[in-house]
Amino acid sequence: MAALESRWIQTGDLSAAAGGTSLVERVRLARGYPSDERSVRILEQPALAALHPGRTLPGATAVAERLEAAIRAGRPIAIYGDYDADGITATAILWRTIRAIKPDADLRWYVPDRFEEGYGLNEGALESLAAQGVQVVVTVDCGVSAVGPARRARELGLELLITDHHHADPDGIADATAIAHPALHGREPAPFADLCGAAVAFKVACELCRVWCGGDRIAKVLNESLVACLPLVACGTVADVMPLLDENRIFVACGLGAIQSTRIAGLRALLDDSQLDRGKKVQSSDVGFRIGPRLNVTGRLGHAAEAVELLITEDADRARAIVRTVSEMNERRKRMDREFFEQACERVEREGLADAGAIVLADVRWHEGVVGIVAQKVAERYGRPAILMAIRDDGTAKGSGRSVEGLDILSAVRSAAGTLMQRGGGHAFALGVTVAVGDVPEFASRVSAECAARSGGKPVGPARRYDLEVDPQELTPDAVAALDRLRPFGRGNPEPAFLLRGVRPVGGARIFGGQGTHLEFTLPGAVRVVWWGGAEHAARLAPGRTVDVIVRPELDTFRGNRGVQAILADMRPAQAGATA
């Protein structure tokens, strides 16, 4: 089955954009960026001074005060993290801060095993930490909904401090000594609440340093330690796909601006392995596609303990050794991605699931740490929610689901088959789920029927969004260079995309690349368009044909020549009446 035709959606406010005098200004107006003084300052020149103080994060001061008391008293402390990139960076941030405060603090860290323990706090881990003499457990990126484990912590005599950002039902909040969270029911939210676990940990770290120093004048060594952690906050924010607005924009802009000068041995080794050489400006896309996957892969195929050690070690040789292992894991993960995707698509076609309300598959060949990535690709290909599960030796099928725009997969699954889930959770676009192998057919039937009812039985298809419709002549080097002022790009602030309507390629298309898989052509105005992986569509660009395209322009300075290169996001035949 061919990939579904995309829906093209113009997301900006055209009437507002009409007031702009330049391309970048029109994009800003179309997107409706806030125009108050602080927001404009953050957009034009994001700086640390615009961050809200750590004490404005609800619960941060309470957690900091309990940590300070524990450190001064010499009580054994354990940082309990999560196994994804956000949790890993959050663990490293708090670890480095406490070590900077008191290098000989009785400190350890713990990250659960994805396969044996699952996500979040668990009673067995708390019992093990208590047996080791730990007295204080502080979580990062988890714990707010761990009602049972929190109760067990009290029984064990552990003081439990929680820092988290995940949603929690009002009647399902863990009972802890203190909870730092940007938006808990019943409390005034933080000035900006859409923070990841690493950002929450950083704000708690800032407040801990303030409390330790007895006021806002923080010791130089502690201030330097906090600044050194900013690249970790940036990595956690991008990897957890947080909206790059307000404080997140500051964290990512400042963190990535400082990342090439990092003294964190593991981060330096990751940059080198990702071919992000010194002097090269690191973008959010580099974190999303190079650094983030390398941090995540340890939790997917091994144990995230390696990634935590990578970000806290001071031994450059050890850091490089870990990165070599991580890189090998990442290459294996990419091979699994391709293999599992092919297998899943083959089963969809063979079993006639292309028209199902949702695609639900379980397979003994699949790895539970990778199926979530593959589920996303399946959902995009068929325009329907997809849940892929790995069949395990214990008689369960465990995996992940991904949805399509406009359909809340977590709500649908809970409504249709919640009683069949042994474990499950997530949000509107993604969920994790465990069911008994024998229940998979019934689970699939119920979920498919519910999703079909909610979508009217129609495939949704991927959405291609663009900001404005422009003429190719407007994509000048100066205009495109000015768009860089909107960086960093990511969720909530995507890379600008433009619709070019009724254009006729100049001189036809050319296939290029070592494997002959890419396509390029030129538009009026000397705009070079590159379609990565688009060689199979060369015939659609025969001489004389006009097309509509959505492109993301970028400045091209190859061999010292300054020009515009536009990355093609989608193409379709020109609409009737369009002109070249």
Side-chain angles (χ1 to χ4, degrees), residues 181-195:
H181 192 289
L184 273 188
H185 180 78
R187 301 198 309 195
E188 185 73 20
F192 178 74
D194 225 342
L195 301 169

Side-chain angles (χ1 to χ4, degrees), residues 437-480:
V437 171
D439 288 336
V440 169
E442 179 65 17
F443 176 82
S445 176
R446 291 188 194 180
V447 171
S448 182
E450 180 68 18
C451 289
R454 295 188 180 207
S455 65
K458 298 178 181 179
V460 178
R464 295 293 186 191
R465 299 183 178 275
Y466 63 93
D467 292 284
L468 303 168
E469 180 178 338
V470 302
D471 186 279
Q473 307 287 347
E474 296 182 73
L475 301 180
T476 65
D478 286 343
V480 172

Side-chain angles (χ1 to χ4, degrees), residues 98-121:
I98 294 175
R99 278 281 179 252
I101 286 172
K102 196 171 190 295
D104 61 348
D106 191 340
L107 182 65
R108 67 210 71 191
W109 52 269
Y110 187 93
V111 178
D113 183 284
R114 176 193 290 264
F115 311 108
E116 299 299 326
E117 299 170 271
Y119 166 78
L121 273 178

